Amino acid sequence: MQEVIIGYQGEMSLKGLNRNQFESATIKILRYRVKDAGRFRIWCAQSTFYIEPEDAEADLDLAFARVSKVFGLAAVSRSAVCEKDFGAICQTAESYLGAALARAKTFKVEARRADKTFPMDSPALMRELGAYLLERNPRLKVDVHDPDCKVIVEIRDRGAYVHGPKVPGEGGLPVGTSGRALNMLSGGIDSPVAAYRMAKRGLALDHIHFASPPYTSERARRKVIALAQHTSVYTGSCNLFVVPYTRPQECIRDNAPPMLFTVLMRRSMMRIAGQIARRQGCEALITGESLAQVASQTVQAIRCTDAAQDLPVLRPLIGMDKTEIIETARRIGTFETSILPYEDCCTIFTPPHPKLRPTLEEVLEAEAAMPDLPGLEAEAAAEAERVRIRIDDEPEV
Ligand code: ATP
Ligand code: MG
């Protein structure tokens, strides 16, 4: 029996004029995401995407897992395909969904006839197929409101598709249709969630991570690579820039008032991120900041950080509680890696009492007393290592 994956278009179908663009972007993403699962034919017809294996080697389970994480799809299903013939449809429904029907007490048939040349209309198809299945499963009862098992038949151009209930997709917009941004990825819980949220709104991403060896370890670095890999099932393959941040960080530690250390370091990170973002054609920065979560995330501190460079800084978690962020981290599979206990450069050299309400004037004054800092930042940006994050690599910490 021939099986295919079907993806149902989400929000992009509301976009009117841009529809073709969204559809071809989605097809390109789907092709890329299932590449390592085998050979598939992928096309779009009537706002629906079809992912059809070309041979028996194709791994449909892996492809389905990948497709269900593609932004832009409101729902997905696996479906059997057969000829547009009532007898074939009955047999396919029985062999494909027979096991599910055997477990169910109640069922319902739904039919959609997109190809109007098919001789039975939808109500007739529902009635007749329902009768056929009842005859084979005499214990079953029809329940049109809340059935245990749904049998869905869609008569489309290329064939008849028979499947069970659709599974909700990720929704959102296809990655890349909103531009490109640079996500600031720490080893923590928040920043992978921030990447997920912005990719969901159609941004293609690269990541940047600041490492301060020997204060931060190789294992901490590997943890960040693993987080980028986990996130890549949503964002797609991308680059992770690892910035050797030790010297700028030591410069701030040795030359600035300890109370301002954190805000100065965050401004410095923003400047370096801004430089790399421009180099990579990224039009915005993303952080995992959440208002008032820590001293560097007060409104006044954020004002100081924002003034350090002029790309827009997107903070998708700004209004979220930690419990909500953790819920998402668990769902997208980053939480367990995030809580591994390796140090981040943000947690070294931090003063016991960082200033909660720094002013831009005092911050600029402290920076004026560190004339070497811009040079050290430029060097760090130039020496950033590019790590290629590929969706089919196994994360290892
Ligand atoms: P997270 O859980 O993402 O680490 P956090 O609650 O620990 O966040 P901070 O350490 O203040 O908060 O960092 C706030 C944001 O700054 C992070 O979400 C991330 O976007 C960025 N950031 C922090 N440390 C780094 C780093 N070493 N490299 C890159 N970005 C960083
Ligand atoms: Mg952190």
Side-chain angles (χ1 to χ4, degrees):
M1 185 179 15
Q2 168 80 346
E3 210 181 357
V4 301
I5 298 167
I6 303 183
Y8 303 86
Q9 214 164 284
E11 191 179 334
M12 67 177 143
S13 60
L14 302 175
K15 297 271 165 179
L17 281 182
N18 288 332
R19 188 174 180 139
N20 280 343
Q21 233 175 313
F22 281 99
E23 289 182 354
S24 51
T26 305
I27 287 181
K28 223 162 114 188
I29 293 167
L30 288 168
R31 281 215 177 95
Y32 200 77
R33 297 283 176 89
V34 302
K35 214 162 70 182
D36 63 318
R39 284 154 47 83
F40 290 86
R41 225 185 330 268
I42 299 175
W43 75 93
C44 176
Q46 293 157 324
S47 305
T48 306
F49 297 93
Y50 297 83
I51 301 98
E52 181 184 270
E54 291 199 48
D55 52 43
E57 262 91 83
D59 181 344
L60 221 67
D61 292 338
L62 177 60
F64 187 73
R66 290 280 171 71
V67 170
S68 59
K69 293 184 170 62
V70 168
F71 293 127
L73 300 180
V76 285
S77 71
R78 274 172 84 144
S79 172
V81 198
C82 66
E83 262 176 68
K84 289 186 267 188
D85 165 79
F86 182 65
I89 293 170
C90 289
Q91 275 171 19
T92 305
E94 210 185 353
S95 57
Y96 193 56
L97 298 171
L101 285 170
R103 285 191 302 270
K105 288 201 178 67
T106 57
F107 85 119
K108 169 191 184 180
V109 177
E110 277 177 15
R112 231 188 106 213
R113 187 180 58 145
D115 170 10
K116 302 293 180 209
T117 64
F118 186 72
M120 293 165 90
D121 63 9
S122 304
L125 189 53
M126 284 190 245
R127 201 174 52 239
E128 298 297 323
L129 179 59
Y132 173 89
L133 292 171
L134 270 178
E135 206 174 286
R136 312 277 133 149
N137 301 275
R139 298 171 310 98
L140 269 180
K141 291 206 163 34
V142 174
D143 180 346
V144 292
H145 302 295
D146 185 23
D148 298 336
C149 180
K150 242 192 223 179
V151 176
I152 303 174
V153 184
E154 304 184 55
I155 311 290
R156 295 187 176 251
D157 285 347
R158 297 208 192 183
Y161 295 83
V162 178
H163 57 90
K166 300 175 188 174
V167 183
E170 278 290 332
L173 299 168
V175 163
T177 54
S178 299
R180 171 170 288 275
L182 185 62
N183 179 52
M184 299 178 65
L185 187 64
S186 69
I189 296 168
D190 305 333
S191 43
V193 174
Y196 163 83
R197 302 267 306 211
M198 292 324 301
K200 181 166 178 164
R201 294 310 301 164
L203 277 174
L205 303 180
D206 285 322
H207 301 282
I208 182 170
H209 174 69
F210 295 85
S212 288
Y215 308 105
T216 62
S217 65
E218 174 57 23
R219 296 200 76 178
R221 180 177 170 280
R222 284 219 299 276
K223 170 183 171 180
V224 173
I225 294 174
L227 284 174
Q229 256 154 11
H230 283 304
T231 322
S232 70
V233 292
Y234 296 97
T235 63
S237 299
C238 59
N239 296 304
L240 163 66
F241 296 94
V242 181
V243 178
Y245 190 58
T246 315
R247 292 183 67 207
Q249 198 172 9
E250 285 174 337
C251 172
I252 300 170
R253 176 195 64 185
D254 296 342
N255 296 288
M259 275 171 81
L260 294 180
F261 172 80
T262 306
V263 65
L264 289 168
M265 179 184 67
R266 297 199 58 77
R267 281 173 54 87
S268 159
M269 287 177 161
M270 288 286 174
R271 282 190 292 266
I272 295 173
Q275 288 174 29
I276 292 183
R278 282 173 206 288
R279 210 174 73 197
Q280 287 305 114
C282 296
E283 298 158 305
L285 301 178
I286 301 168
T287 79
E289 288 163 301
S290 160
L291 191 65
Q293 195 186 78
V294 289
S296 64
Q297 297 173 20
T298 61
V299 169
Q300 295 79 3
I302 287 174
R303 179 188 173 215
C304 294
T305 332
D306 271 353
Q309 58 80 53
D310 54 14
L311 288 176
V313 181
L314 307 177
R315 298 181 169 92
L317 313 188
I318 197 71
M320 285 173 80
D321 288 352
K322 197 76 186 186
T323 47
E324 298 172 279
I325 299 170
I326 288 175
E327 215 175 279
T328 308
R330 283 190 197 280
R331 190 169 63 73
I332 65 172
T334 53
F335 183 74
E336 296 302 327
T337 306
S338 287
I339 58 173
L340 294 173
Y342 308 128
E343 65 297 319
D344 179 58
C345 76
C346 271
T347 55
I348 59 174
F349 310 156
T350 49
H353 303 293
K355 194 155 189 182
L356 291 178
R357 293 185 179 77
T359 66
L360 196 51
E361 294 66 36
E362 62 186 338
V363 162
L364 291 173
E365 194 181 317
E367 281 175 359
M370 297 186 286
D372 295 340
L373 187 58
L376 295 173
E377 288 171 358
E379 266 170 38
E383 284 167 15
E385 175 202 1
R386 190 179 86 134
V387 181
R388 190 77 191 128
I389 303 295
R390 294 158 48 101
I391 192 170
D392 49 346
D393 281 344
E394 267 306 302
E396 57 177 285
V397 184

